[in-house]
Amino acid sequence: MKTTLRLLTIGLSAVLVAGCGSSSGSGNAGGSSRTPTTTASAGIPGCAPECLSGASDPGILPSGPHRTSHFFNGQLTVTFTQRWESHEDQPVEFSVAPEGSWDLHRVLFWSDLIPVGKYRKRAAGVASTASELVTWFGTHPNLQVSTPRSGVIGTAALPAKVIDIAISSTAVNEASDCPARACADFLTWPNAGDNIYGLAEPSVLRLYLSDVRYGGKNHLFAIGIEGRDQADLKVFLPDADHLIASVHAPVSPAL
């Protein structure tokens, strides 16, 4: 547990594998996992990111191009201008930070985010699209959300909606183990079981949300930039923005 963030991802790989029993990504609990056999040139399979097994911890990543092992079926590429580190490379998340700063700030790449509401249950009636997620964030009583603005992701200039999320000054704490005045849990992933993502005051999250298409289906591609607080986020943004601009993946804007 970080002092500024609430990242409840212990055992996430195990629950993802348990939920992927068929090539359709239908979440057949108890079935055996299956890794698609398509090659990189064939594009991302329609069942990704749900239907991949395994996860890796690549550790220290040198400067230069880096390709994920599991996120986006191993087909997301970013370019580092210095040494970074990573502790998550799995079907629904790839997260990195400049070497030695993991506890200060990070960049997180996510796929098909799911909003979490009261009692840590999936928010009803909210589709996994950029517009609906942005609208839902604006209704969350414990979050302070900026006015959405336009942005782009990567070398393909994927259109994105960009918002900043922080804990509201009037927030009611949602977690008994919160290390601050208030915490809020608000996101999860496909087949993630009880694993939830949230923030603890005064952390802030800048979130890019882009509707993309691959494998013949529409998906939600998200990138989060975490800062210990607003001042830390401002310092980290040049490095994070440079990394986001370098993103390359075989996806296109959603139809």
Side-chain angles (χ1 to χ4, degrees):
M1 183 70 67
K2 303 289 190 298
T3 57
T4 58
L5 306 171
R6 299 196 73 245
L7 280 172
L8 307 182
T9 55
I10 297 174
L12 180 57
S13 299
V15 296
L16 285 168
V17 171
C20 291
S22 70
S23 61
S24 67
S26 60
N28 181 20
S32 59
S33 61
R34 186 185 73 84
T35 301
T37 57
T38 51
T39 62
S41 61
I44 302 174
C47 69
E50 283 188 292
C51 298
L52 301 178
S53 62
S56 66
D57 183 352
I60 300 301
L61 309 176
S63 60
H66 173 78
R67 184 169 174 170
T68 56
S69 297
H70 299 283
F71 185 76
F72 267 10
N73 199 23
Q75 295 184 63
L76 178 83
T77 300
V78 295
T79 300
F80 300 115
T81 58
Q82 57 183 307
R83 285 163 59 95
W84 285 53
E85 62 181 282
S86 175
H87 301 274
E88 294 286 347
D89 183 349
Q90 54 184 308
V92 293
E93 180 182 320
F94 171 57
S95 52
V96 292
E99 184 179 14
S101 65
W102 186 261
D103 291 330
L104 294 175
H105 41 241
R106 298 181 292 171
V107 178
L108 305 104
F109 299 85
W110 286 319
S111 184
D112 294 325
L113 288 176
I114 297 170
V116 173
K118 196 172 183 180
Y119 306 120
R120 304 177 75 190
K121 302 295 185 181
R122 178 169 182 161
V126 183
S128 186
T129 67
S131 292
E132 293 220 12
L133 209 58
V134 165
T135 299
W136 178 83
F137 277 128
T139 68
H140 197 299
N142 290 332
L143 298 178
Q144 176 182 310
V145 183
S146 68
T147 300
R149 56 197 182 278
S150 298
V152 295
I153 295 174
T155 58
L158 297 168
K161 295 182 181 295
V162 185
I163 55 175
D164 289 348
I165 303 172
I167 301 297
S168 169
S169 61
T170 59
V172 176
N173 180 46
E174 298 180 10
S176 60
D177 59 348
C178 181
R181 180 193 68 86
C183 293
D185 298 326
F186 50 90
L187 291 173
T188 189
W189 308 263
N191 294 333
D194 293 330
N195 292 279
I196 303 293
Y197 174 89
L199 292 177
E201 193 178 46
S203 297
V204 61
L205 176 72
R206 176 161 295 181
L207 191 60
Y208 285 68
L209 296 166
S210 181
D211 297 310
V212 300
R213 189 169 181 81
Y214 58 82
K217 297 180 181 179
N218 290 344
H219 296 266
L220 181 61
F221 180 26
I223 302 177
I225 307 173
E226 292 176 344
R228 178 183 291 273
D229 51 32
Q230 290 284 358
D232 179 60
L233 180 67
K234 183 177 180 179
V235 171
F236 181 45
L237 278 176
D239 286 341
D241 288 343
H242 191 278
L243 185 69
I244 291 172
S246 76
V247 168
H248 178 75
V251 302
S252 59
L255 301 176

